Amino acid sequence: MTWFDESRLDDEAALERIDVRLRTLAESGSRVRREAGDAAAAMADAVDRAQDLPRPRAVIAAGPDSRLLRAVLEPWCPVPFVAWPGHALPGWAGSLDLVAVLAPDGGDPGTASAVAEAVRRGCQVVVACPPGSMVAQHAEGRWSAILPTTTRDPLATAVVMLSYLEQVRLGPSADPGTVADALDQVALACAPRRDLAVNPAKTLAIGLADTNPVVWGGSVLAARAARRVAESIRRSSGRTAIAGEVDQLLPVIEATRPRDVFDDPFAESGGDLRPVLVVLDDGVDDPLVREERQKLESAAAERGVRVETLTCEEGDEVARYASLLLSGTYAAEYLRLGLVDD
């Protein structure tokens, strides 16, 4: 039988056992600053070179990490944009196009193959990856720029690329300092020595303790954060945690048996956990987002499904995305800590 012991969340000895994982989360902001600093010289050179080139016909984000670039760039990019997560490029890609690639560890053969294909076709190529890596070696070419990264942190690597794209006027504001500051604020608010009464991640972990989470974000970036948070919860607890669009999540909530005020709360078995709706709110004020959120929250109220909310409304959209993602990941770690097997 598995149960949740919330006292472990403030227990020094228990917290010490997950110190390495929590320290890795706390250092998220410093990794962004480190990557931005290490890549500054190469980025300045790449931006200068880009000024002498015509604006690309299209931007292609290649490789398995391309979906984050799509979430940020698709609504903003002034030229056609496509994410291509496979091991090749679209057939029409050529010398008029820019291929942007995120390769945090630089060792993926499929990504290296896509980069080599872009170089062969004469595309403009910009790659964020470790110098000397397989991907970096395949990226060498006349029209290529390598933004060196070393931490293997997917978010920090993405911020470096987004900063470059902003400077060449192909992307929105993505200041590494703003993103790093936002991550530092989350690390302070969710720190292990910060007790239950004032720690939002511990509070959320308690809210998730006896549930199967249903995670939703309204904007494109909040929806991506929701998928990543659900993934973290699954890894930390082994429980069902899903994220998706309203039409995917609404049936789950509507199928929940309404809570009876006379139910014995201790009679529920571990296999009959109720859902909890977790809303990631990044402050996007859009009528469609408000309408979809209202549908989910109304259905939750009708079925007696509890609603938990993570909110971040400060900073640019990338900083808000990073804050929601890190807050949810902290909560997943505290959930892991509190779950006890008898």
Side-chain angles (χ1 to χ4, degrees):
M1 176 181 177
T2 301
W3 60 286
F4 189 82
D5 182 3
E6 67 180 64
S7 68
R8 290 170 59 85
L9 304 189
D10 284 338
D11 181 84
E12 293 286 339
L15 288 167
E16 186 65 28
R17 299 190 191 103
I18 62 168
D19 180 70
V20 173
R21 290 197 295 271
L22 294 178
R23 191 179 299 274
T24 299
L25 297 181
E27 292 171 349
S28 297
S30 68
R31 288 195 294 274
V32 170
R33 290 191 183 89
R34 176 180 172 183
E35 296 289 38
D38 289 350
M43 186 179 303
D45 181 62
V47 171
D48 286 342
R49 291 175 59 192
Q51 308 308 318
D52 299 327
L53 299 173
R55 172 176 282 184
R57 173 183 62 178
V59 175
I60 304 161
D65 290 304
S66 62
R67 291 183 178 88
L68 175 56
L69 294 183
R70 178 176 64 187
V72 178
L73 294 174
E74 209 164 39
W76 198 97
C77 189
V79 300
F81 174 87
V82 61
W84 203 263
H87 295 164
L89 295 177
W92 50 263
S95 60
L96 299 178
D97 306 306
L98 171 65
V99 176
V101 180
L102 301 179
D105 65 13
D108 177 51
T111 302
S113 175
V115 169
E117 180 68 11
V119 172
R120 186 187 69 79
R121 296 191 196 184
C123 301
Q124 299 175 45
V125 179
V126 58
V127 183
C129 66
S133 65
M134 179 192 300
V135 171
Q137 292 170 4
H138 283 74
E140 293 178 359
R142 181 179 179 184
W143 308 113
S144 301
I146 297 175
L147 308 178
T149 63
T150 56
T151 66
R152 302 193 175 189
D153 183 321
L155 177 60
T157 303
V159 170
V160 168
M161 178 65 74
L162 290 168
S163 179
Y164 167 81
L165 293 171
E166 175 194 0
Q167 293 181 57
V168 297
R169 298 183 297 280
L170 291 173
S173 174
D175 177 55
T178 301
V179 176
D181 288 345
L183 292 169
D184 287 346
Q185 290 176 11
V186 173
L188 289 172
C190 302
R193 304 300 182 263
R194 195 171 168 89
D195 67 36
L196 287 170
V198 291
N199 190 316
K202 291 182 180 180
T203 301
L204 179 57
I206 294 171
L208 302 177
D210 57 351
T211 67
N212 286 322
V214 175
V215 192
W216 176 82
S219 71
V220 174
L221 278 173
R224 178 173 176 81
R227 291 191 291 272
R228 296 287 304 278
V229 169
E231 180 184 337
S232 294
I233 294 171
R234 289 194 297 270
R235 284 200 307 265
S236 66
S237 67
R239 292 179 178 174
T240 301
I242 61 173
E245 306 295 333
V246 168
D247 58 354
Q248 297 167 327
L249 303 182
L250 199 57
V252 177
I253 295 175
E254 291 176 338
T256 304
R257 179 177 62 85
R259 185 179 290 279
D260 190 328
V261 294
F262 298 106
D263 282 347
D264 180 356
F266 300 103
E268 290 185 322
S269 69
D272 191 27
L273 301 177
R274 292 178 63 81
V276 59
L277 174 62
V278 181
V279 174
L280 303 191
D281 180 3
D282 62 353
V284 171
D285 187 18
D286 179 270
L288 179 59
V289 172
R290 290 198 302 270
E291 179 182 346
E292 291 181 340
R293 180 171 177 173
Q294 181 61 40
K295 286 181 181 178
L296 286 170
E297 293 182 339
S298 295
E302 290 175 3
R303 297 291 174 171
V305 172
R306 193 169 67 253
V307 179
E308 302 282 350
T309 305
L310 278 179
T311 303
C312 181
E313 299 181 353
E314 298 180 1
D316 59 40
E317 61 180 354
V318 179
R320 298 195 300 271
Y321 162 80
S323 294
L324 291 174
L325 176 59
L326 186 58
S327 297
T329 307
Y330 262 109
E333 286 300 330
Y334 290 130
L335 177 61
R336 184 203 304 267
L337 178 64
L339 290 173
V340 178
D341 293 323
D342 278 346

